[in-house]
Amino acid sequence: MTDMIDTTVPAAPGPLPVQPPAGCPFDPPAEFGALRTEEPISPISLPDGSRAWLATRYADIRAILGDTRFSSDTTVPGYPLSGMTGGGNTANRGFIRMDPPEHTRLRRMVTREFMVKRVEALRPEIQRLTDELCDAMERRAGEPVDLVEALALPVPSLVISLLLGVPYEDHDVFQRLTGKLLSRTIAEDARESARVELRDYLDALVTAKEKEPGDDILGRLITEQQRTGEITHDDVAAFAALLLVAGHETTANMIGLSALTLMRDPETAEQLRQDPSLIRGAVEELLRFHSIIRNGPRRVATADIEIGGQLIKAGEGVVVAVPSANRDETVFADPDRLDVRRANAQHHVAFGYGIHQCLGQALARVELQVVIATLLRRFPTMRPAVPVEEIPFRTDMAIYGCHSLPVTW
Amino acid sequence: MKITLDADKCCAAGQCVLIAPEVFDQRDEDGVVVLLDAEPPAGQHAAVREAAAICPAAVIEVQE
């Protein structure tokens, strides 16, 4: 097939595949399997009619994300912005949409906050929050409980609010706005108004914290970076937006999907109950298996670069299919099977790859380990309260998962 | 086995610390990788190779 592709992107290719196969909500779009073997770098159409390349093989995806000549700067001409969630381009776009050296400078202002030992020190607090939410669920025994609302969303939301120094009472505001920002199906003007509303909310929050900076991430950014002239008020707000949005939707959806797969796989659930040391590997495997990032990451080539036998020209955009890389049979044997003892599960690219790899990954890992182990231990008979085909899966969102997950026990 | 680091490229993902905590650490000010043992004993070799393979910024170089 590849010899049929001109180096210019051919006319009218299909869109980015997003629908899971019928009846298989845990599998990535079926198109990826064929693309990996037949056309691993293939042209797609973006919603505005522009073109980009779709990468589906593990090795190619690591090559792209590991090469800074593939730029993350959304202002570089040719960057595949169309269909991207999170809002359009702004002056304060956050460091995930930048390249070195500016990306490195800004990212390193917050990397220490999420390093392994800092996050491990939070484990008892994460366990305490999880236990409290589980206590509240227990008091509702006998009625269907939405696991997303009762546990999956509150744990990461509480934790990131605490770390940033954002009042948790505001969670309705930022959860509602984040939901709009990450929707693929929302109208562009509605997304823009959500972005403006979030910007105004964070602007007021940062202004309040400038008067009284607390012992938290935003407080430290203000006292150590803003007051010394390294960054501006707007930069602090951009940090807040990025960390708040990235900090709760991702982990929340991993919790929901993981809980559901384990309810449907009682044998694996029992193994995890019997041997708690399996939980770390199980979380890596769940991250690989579910690969919830479904709309990128994206890059634009700043030079002519050959990837997987295909020339990608300077100025052409690339969309990377994380779920496809993580089901690549040349890397993961029997990739469609959930195997919590898989030796190379941690080779997954669920957190991305390259210098932009998820900043909060150590925190996500601990939250998932604590919440999943606690759920298995405290609610061994938990099951979906509705047939699986009635569970609303997030095929309309940039981050896959369940909109709600009614459970009983 | 001899390990060298190109710490300037480190993005502080911390995966090396999770995989080989006796060999790698993160410095307090920014989470950038610190080498605890440049010539680790044989029992650590598999973990070090794994850390080098997973490192998202290709910071860890292993000579054997």
Side-chain angles (χ1 to χ4, degrees), chain A residues 131-332:
Chain A
D131 282 332
E132 279 182 11
L133 291 160
C134 286
D135 292 345
M137 276 171 54
E138 268 176 355
R139 290 193 287 272
R140 296 168 63 189
E143 56 174 299
V145 169
D146 177 7
L147 193 65
V148 173
E149 194 189 295
L151 186 70
L153 204 44
V155 171
S157 205
L158 279 160
V159 171
I160 198 66
S161 301
L162 186 75
L163 293 181
L164 286 174
V166 173
Y168 183 67
E169 304 82 77
D170 295 351
H171 71 278
D172 283 343
V173 178
F174 60 75
Q175 282 172 8
R176 173 175 58 81
L177 296 173
T178 302
K180 287 184 182 173
L181 284 172
L182 295 178
S183 171
R184 286 189 309 101
T185 53
I186 194 173
E188 210 47 58
D189 56 343
R191 195 205 313 280
E192 186 56 20
S193 73
R195 196 186 61 74
V196 170
E197 199 182 333
L198 183 64
R199 186 198 62 197
D200 292 346
Y201 164 73
L202 292 171
D203 182 48
L205 176 75
V206 172
T207 300
K209 293 192 75 75
E210 282 164 355
K211 295 191 185 99
E212 262 183 275
D215 182 19
D216 47 53
I217 294 177
L218 295 181
R220 282 188 284 277
L221 281 171
I222 289 164
T223 54
E224 295 172 22
Q225 308 291 349
Q226 187 187 344
R227 287 184 183 168
T228 57
E230 291 293 319
I231 55 174
T232 64
H233 168 97
D234 287 349
D235 290 328
V236 179
F239 271 110
L242 172 62
L243 298 177
L244 204 52
V245 172
H248 70 280
E249 280 274 347
T250 46
T251 311
N253 283 297
M254 268 306 298
I255 292 171
L257 283 177
S258 300
L260 180 57
T261 41
L262 292 171
M263 285 177 226
R264 289 162 53 84
D265 185 352
E267 200 178 310
T268 300
E270 187 53 30
Q271 285 175 24
L272 294 175
R273 266 190 293 272
Q274 294 296 326
D275 183 358
S277 73
L278 289 175
I279 191 68
R280 285 173 191 258
V283 164
E284 300 304 323
E285 175 68 346
L286 288 159
L287 286 160
R288 181 196 73 83
F289 187 77
H290 288 304
S291 299
I292 56 170
I293 304 298
R294 299 294 172 95
N295 199 31
R298 300 176 178 214
R299 298 288 186 267
V300 57
T302 60
D304 293 356
I305 305 166
E306 193 178 302
I307 294 286
Q310 175 63 52
L311 180 69
I312 298 175
K313 288 184 170 174
E316 291 181 343
V318 183
V319 177
V320 157
V322 168
S324 179
N326 285 340
R327 300 287 184 107
D328 188 327
E329 42 286 279
T330 66
V331 178
F332 303 105

Side-chain angles (χ1 to χ4, degrees), chain A residues 107 111 116-117 347 357 365, chain B residues 10-11 15 26 30 50 56:
Chain A
R107 177 169 164 130
T111 37
V116 172
K117 57 193 144 194
H347 287 243
Q357 194 179 59
R365 285 183 163 108
Chain B
C10 178
C11 65
Q15 301 218 67
Q26 290 174 286
D30 58 9
E50 178 79 350

